PDB file of all heavy atoms in Angstrom:
ATOM      1  N   GLU A  44     -25.871  -3.009  20.192  1.00  0.00           N
ATOM      2  CA  GLU A  44     -25.007  -1.827  20.243  1.00  0.00           C
ATOM      3  C   GLU A  44     -23.796  -2.068  19.350  1.00  0.00           C
ATOM      4  O   GLU A  44     -22.841  -2.761  19.725  1.00  0.00           O
ATOM      5  CB  GLU A  44     -24.553  -1.554  21.679  1.00  0.00           C
ATOM      6  CG  GLU A  44     -25.650  -1.096  22.602  1.00  0.00           C
ATOM      7  CD  GLU A  44     -26.128   0.313  22.293  1.00  0.00           C
ATOM      8  OE1 GLU A  44     -25.353   1.114  21.727  1.00  0.00           O
ATOM      9  OE2 GLU A  44     -27.292   0.611  22.623  1.00  0.00           O
ATOM     10  N   TRP A  45     -23.841  -1.522  18.135  1.00  0.00           N
ATOM     11  CA  TRP A  45     -22.776  -1.753  17.160  1.00  0.00           C
ATOM     12  C   TRP A  45     -21.404  -1.267  17.621  1.00  0.00           C
ATOM     13  O   TRP A  45     -20.404  -1.925  17.334  1.00  0.00           O
ATOM     14  CB  TRP A  45     -23.154  -1.145  15.812  1.00  0.00           C
ATOM     15  CG  TRP A  45     -24.184  -1.994  15.141  1.00  0.00           C
ATOM     16  CD1 TRP A  45     -25.508  -1.746  15.030  1.00  0.00           C
ATOM     17  CD2 TRP A  45     -23.962  -3.278  14.550  1.00  0.00           C
ATOM     18  NE1 TRP A  45     -26.135  -2.793  14.394  1.00  0.00           N
ATOM     19  CE2 TRP A  45     -25.201  -3.748  14.084  1.00  0.00           C
ATOM     20  CE3 TRP A  45     -22.834  -4.071  14.379  1.00  0.00           C
ATOM     21  CZ2 TRP A  45     -25.348  -4.964  13.442  1.00  0.00           C
ATOM     22  CZ3 TRP A  45     -22.978  -5.290  13.734  1.00  0.00           C
ATOM     23  CH2 TRP A  45     -24.227  -5.721  13.283  1.00  0.00           C
ATOM     24  N   PRO A  46     -21.288  -0.155  18.339  1.00  0.00           N
ATOM     25  CA  PRO A  46     -19.951   0.244  18.803  1.00  0.00           C
ATOM     26  C   PRO A  46     -19.295  -0.820  19.694  1.00  0.00           C
ATOM     27  O   PRO A  46     -18.097  -1.079  19.586  1.00  0.00           O
ATOM     28  CB  PRO A  46     -20.205   1.542  19.567  1.00  0.00           C
ATOM     29  CG  PRO A  46     -21.440   2.109  18.934  1.00  0.00           C
ATOM     30  CD  PRO A  46     -22.277   0.900  18.605  1.00  0.00           C
ATOM     31  N   LEU A  47     -20.084  -1.443  20.558  1.00  0.00           N
ATOM     32  CA  LEU A  47     -19.549  -2.524  21.402  1.00  0.00           C
ATOM     33  C   LEU A  47     -19.138  -3.727  20.558  1.00  0.00           C
ATOM     34  O   LEU A  47     -18.086  -4.333  20.783  1.00  0.00           O
ATOM     35  CB  LEU A  47     -20.585  -2.987  22.434  1.00  0.00           C
ATOM     36  CG  LEU A  47     -20.731  -2.189  23.713  1.00  0.00           C
ATOM     37  CD1 LEU A  47     -21.887  -2.722  24.535  1.00  0.00           C
ATOM     38  CD2 LEU A  47     -19.451  -2.217  24.508  1.00  0.00           C
ATOM     39  N   ILE A  48     -19.954  -4.075  19.601  1.00  0.00           N
ATOM     40  CA  ILE A  48     -19.689  -5.246  18.765  1.00  0.00           C
ATOM     41  C   ILE A  48     -18.443  -5.031  17.909  1.00  0.00           C
ATOM     42  O   ILE A  48     -17.548  -5.877  17.868  1.00  0.00           O
ATOM     43  CB  ILE A  48     -20.901  -5.568  17.873  1.00  0.00           C
ATOM     44  CG1 ILE A  48     -22.126  -5.912  18.727  1.00  0.00           C
ATOM     45  CG2 ILE A  48     -20.581  -6.704  16.908  1.00  0.00           C
ATOM     46  CD1 ILE A  48     -23.439  -5.916  17.959  1.00  0.00           C
ATOM     47  N   VAL A  49     -18.371  -3.890  17.237  1.00  0.00           N
ATOM     48  CA  VAL A  49     -17.264  -3.639  16.311  1.00  0.00           C
ATOM     49  C   VAL A  49     -15.941  -3.497  17.055  1.00  0.00           C
ATOM     50  O   VAL A  49     -14.947  -4.141  16.698  1.00  0.00           O
ATOM     51  CB  VAL A  49     -17.549  -2.394  15.441  1.00  0.00           C
ATOM     52  CG1 VAL A  49     -16.332  -2.005  14.628  1.00  0.00           C
ATOM     53  CG2 VAL A  49     -18.741  -2.657  14.531  1.00  0.00           C
ATOM     54  N   SER A  50     -15.905  -2.657  18.077  1.00  0.00           N
ATOM     55  CA  SER A  50     -14.638  -2.427  18.778  1.00  0.00           C
ATOM     56  C   SER A  50     -14.130  -3.701  19.440  1.00  0.00           C
ATOM     57  O   SER A  50     -12.949  -4.044  19.339  1.00  0.00           O
ATOM     58  CB  SER A  50     -14.776  -1.306  19.807  1.00  0.00           C
ATOM     59  OG  SER A  50     -15.746  -1.632  20.780  1.00  0.00           O
ATOM     60  N   ASN A  51     -15.010  -4.431  20.093  1.00  0.00           N
ATOM     61  CA  ASN A  51     -14.584  -5.673  20.732  1.00  0.00           C
ATOM     62  C   ASN A  51     -14.345  -6.779  19.720  1.00  0.00           C
ATOM     63  O   ASN A  51     -13.531  -7.669  19.950  1.00  0.00           O
ATOM     64  CB  ASN A  51     -15.589  -6.101  21.798  1.00  0.00           C
ATOM     65  CG  ASN A  51     -15.480  -5.230  23.018  1.00  0.00           C
ATOM     66  OD1 ASN A  51     -14.512  -5.293  23.754  1.00  0.00           O
ATOM     67  ND2 ASN A  51     -16.459  -4.350  23.210  1.00  0.00           N
ATOM     68  N   GLY A  52     -15.036  -6.733  18.593  1.00  0.00           N
ATOM     69  CA  GLY A  52     -14.786  -7.709  17.522  1.00  0.00           C
ATOM     70  C   GLY A  52     -13.383  -7.567  16.940  1.00  0.00           C
ATOM     71  O   GLY A  52     -12.709  -8.574  16.676  1.00  0.00           O
ATOM     72  N   VAL A  53     -12.952  -6.323  16.743  1.00  0.00           N
ATOM     73  CA  VAL A  53     -11.579  -6.093  16.247  1.00  0.00           C
ATOM     74  C   VAL A  53     -10.564  -6.619  17.264  1.00  0.00           C
ATOM     75  O   VAL A  53      -9.619  -7.327  16.906  1.00  0.00           O
ATOM     76  CB  VAL A  53     -11.347  -4.597  15.949  1.00  0.00           C
ATOM     77  CG1 VAL A  53      -9.880  -4.304  15.690  1.00  0.00           C
ATOM     78  CG2 VAL A  53     -12.205  -4.151  14.772  1.00  0.00           C
ATOM     79  N   CYS A  54     -10.773  -6.287  18.525  1.00  0.00           N
ATOM     80  CA  CYS A  54      -9.862  -6.766  19.578  1.00  0.00           C
ATOM     81  C   CYS A  54      -9.895  -8.286  19.690  1.00  0.00           C
ATOM     82  O   CYS A  54      -8.857  -8.917  19.904  1.00  0.00           O
ATOM     83  CB  CYS A  54     -10.222  -6.126  20.917  1.00  0.00           C
ATOM     84  SG  CYS A  54      -9.908  -4.363  20.982  1.00  0.00           S
ATOM     85  N   LEU A  55     -11.075  -8.876  19.539  1.00  0.00           N
ATOM     86  CA  LEU A  55     -11.218 -10.329  19.578  1.00  0.00           C
ATOM     87  C   LEU A  55     -10.433 -10.974  18.438  1.00  0.00           C
ATOM     88  O   LEU A  55      -9.717 -11.963  18.646  1.00  0.00           O
ATOM     89  CB  LEU A  55     -12.695 -10.722  19.491  1.00  0.00           C
ATOM     90  CG  LEU A  55     -13.012 -12.209  19.404  1.00  0.00           C
ATOM     91  CD1 LEU A  55     -12.527 -12.945  20.643  1.00  0.00           C
ATOM     92  CD2 LEU A  55     -14.517 -12.407  19.221  1.00  0.00           C
ATOM     93  N   ALA A  56     -10.539 -10.409  17.248  1.00  0.00           N
ATOM     94  CA  ALA A  56      -9.827 -10.977  16.094  1.00  0.00           C
ATOM     95  C   ALA A  56      -8.311 -10.896  16.288  1.00  0.00           C
ATOM     96  O   ALA A  56      -7.601 -11.884  16.065  1.00  0.00           O
ATOM     97  CB  ALA A  56     -10.239 -10.247  14.821  1.00  0.00           C
ATOM     98  N   LEU A  57      -7.811  -9.753  16.728  1.00  0.00           N
ATOM     99  CA  LEU A  57      -6.364  -9.598  16.907  1.00  0.00           C
ATOM    100  C   LEU A  57      -5.837 -10.461  18.052  1.00  0.00           C
ATOM    101  O   LEU A  57      -4.826 -11.153  17.904  1.00  0.00           O
ATOM    102  CB  LEU A  57      -6.013  -8.128  17.138  1.00  0.00           C
ATOM    103  CG  LEU A  57      -6.160  -7.225  15.922  1.00  0.00           C
ATOM    104  CD1 LEU A  57      -6.058  -5.760  16.316  1.00  0.00           C
ATOM    105  CD2 LEU A  57      -5.101  -7.567  14.876  1.00  0.00           C
ATOM    106  N   SER A  58      -6.519 -10.430  19.190  1.00  0.00           N
ATOM    107  CA  SER A  58      -6.048 -11.239  20.316  1.00  0.00           C
ATOM    108  C   SER A  58      -6.240 -12.729  20.035  1.00  0.00           C
ATOM    109  O   SER A  58      -5.439 -13.558  20.468  1.00  0.00           O
ATOM    110  CB  SER A  58      -6.728 -10.826  21.626  1.00  0.00           C
ATOM    111  OG  SER A  58      -8.122 -10.993  21.548  1.00  0.00           O
ATOM    112  N   GLY A  59      -7.273 -13.078  19.283  1.00  0.00           N
ATOM    113  CA  GLY A  59      -7.476 -14.472  18.884  1.00  0.00           C
ATOM    114  C   GLY A  59      -6.367 -14.958  17.973  1.00  0.00           C
ATOM    115  O   GLY A  59      -5.907 -16.101  18.082  1.00  0.00           O
ATOM    116  N   PHE A  60      -5.931 -14.092  17.064  1.00  0.00           N
ATOM    117  CA  PHE A  60      -4.800 -14.432  16.193  1.00  0.00           C
ATOM    118  C   PHE A  60      -3.544 -14.686  17.025  1.00  0.00           C
ATOM    119  O   PHE A  60      -2.835 -15.671  16.811  1.00  0.00           O
ATOM    120  CB  PHE A  60      -4.545 -13.306  15.185  1.00  0.00           C
ATOM    121  CG  PHE A  60      -3.282 -13.483  14.409  1.00  0.00           C
ATOM    122  CD1 PHE A  60      -3.208 -14.379  13.354  1.00  0.00           C
ATOM    123  CD2 PHE A  60      -2.141 -12.764  14.741  1.00  0.00           C
ATOM    124  CE1 PHE A  60      -2.031 -14.556  12.643  1.00  0.00           C
ATOM    125  CE2 PHE A  60      -0.957 -12.926  14.034  1.00  0.00           C
ATOM    126  CZ  PHE A  60      -0.905 -13.831  12.977  1.00  0.00           C
TER     127      PHE A  60
END
Side-chain angles (χ1 to χ4, degrees):
E44 291 289 334
W45 285 104
L47 278 175
I48 298 166
V49 172
S50 61
N51 286 290
V53 169
C54 292
L55 175 62
L57 289 169
S58 60
F60 171 78

